[in-house]
Amino acid sequence: MLPVARGRLITIEGLDGAGKSTLALALAGDIAARGHAVETLREPGGVGLSERIRELVKDPSLAVAARTEALLYAAARAQLVEERLTPLLASGTIVLLDRFVDSSLAYQGGGRRLGVGEVRAINLFATGNLQPDRTLLLRISPAAGRARQADRARGEGELGRDRFGRDRLENEGEDFFAAIADAYDELAQVEPERIRAIDASQPPERVLRDAFAAVADLL
Ligand code: TYD
C-alpha cells in the first residue's frame, strides 16, 4: 500500500494540441504565488527510465502493438509513481501532472480499442491505485487540436520536434483522435467530481482562470 498522500495530485488531460503544457506552466505559477510547494511533471517521463520509455513509444520506426503500448505507458507510470510522485505527495507538494492514467484509458482503451476496463486494470497494478485529487480535462475538437499541433511544429522547426520528426502517435488518423475525445468525455461524465472539463478553445488566460477555479478548493 502507498502511504496516504498529504500533497495534492492534479492531472491535466486532453488531446494533443489542447494546450496542457502551457496551462501546467501558468497554473504552477499561480499556485506557487500563493505560497504552496508545487512541482510540474509530464507523462510519459519525469524520471530517467520513463524518459527512455518515452523515446521508445514515440519512435515511428518501431512496431509497437496496442497491448505493448499500453504496458509501456503503464511501466513508465509505475516508475514515476514510485520514484517521484509518492515522495513528493508525502512531503506535501502539489503536483501538476501533464497526463496520467486517464490518458491511457482514452488513448489505449478508446483510441486503440483495447477497452477502458482492461487498461484500467493494468494501471491499477502500475500505480498501486494512486488517484488524482482533481483532473482538468482540456476539451478541444480533434480538428482544432491537430491544427494547433501543426502550428507548433512549424513554429518550432525541426529542431523543436522530436528527433524523429512527427511522432508515432501523431501519425494516426482522424478516427483515432475522435475515439479518444469520446472516451475522455465518457470518463468525465462518470466522474464529474474529479474530472472538470474546460473549454480549451478559449484564449489561454480564460483557460487558466477556469482551471484555477476548478482546483481552488484543494489549495
Ligand atoms: P507528448 O509529446 O507529451 O504529447 P502531448 O504534448 O500532446 O501530451 O506525447 C505523449 C503522447 O503519448 C501523446 O500523443 C499521448 C500519448 N499517450 C498515450 O497514448 N497514453 C498514455 O498513457 C500517455 C501518458 C500518453
Side-chain angles (χ1 to χ4, degrees), residues 41 162 187 204:
L41 293 166
D162 220 63
L187 292 171

Side-chain angles (χ1 to χ4, degrees), residues 24 38 46 111 142 159 167 207:
V38 56
L159 277 179
D167 76 38
V207 175

Side-chain angles (χ1 to χ4, degrees), residues 15-17 20-21 42-44 54 58 69 73 77 98-100 103-104 107-108 149 152 167 169-170:
L15 292 173
D16 301 71
K20 296 183 307 303
S21 42
R42 70 165 180 190
E43 274 214 46
R54 178 186 180 88
K58 293 192 116 189
E69 187 179 276
Y73 283 116
R77 183 164 296 133
D98 184 343
R99 297 193 180 281
F100 192 52
S103 279
S104 282
Y107 279 72
Q108 281 65 54
Q149 214 178 42
R152 183 168 65 181
D167 76 38
L169 279 103
E170 285 170 4

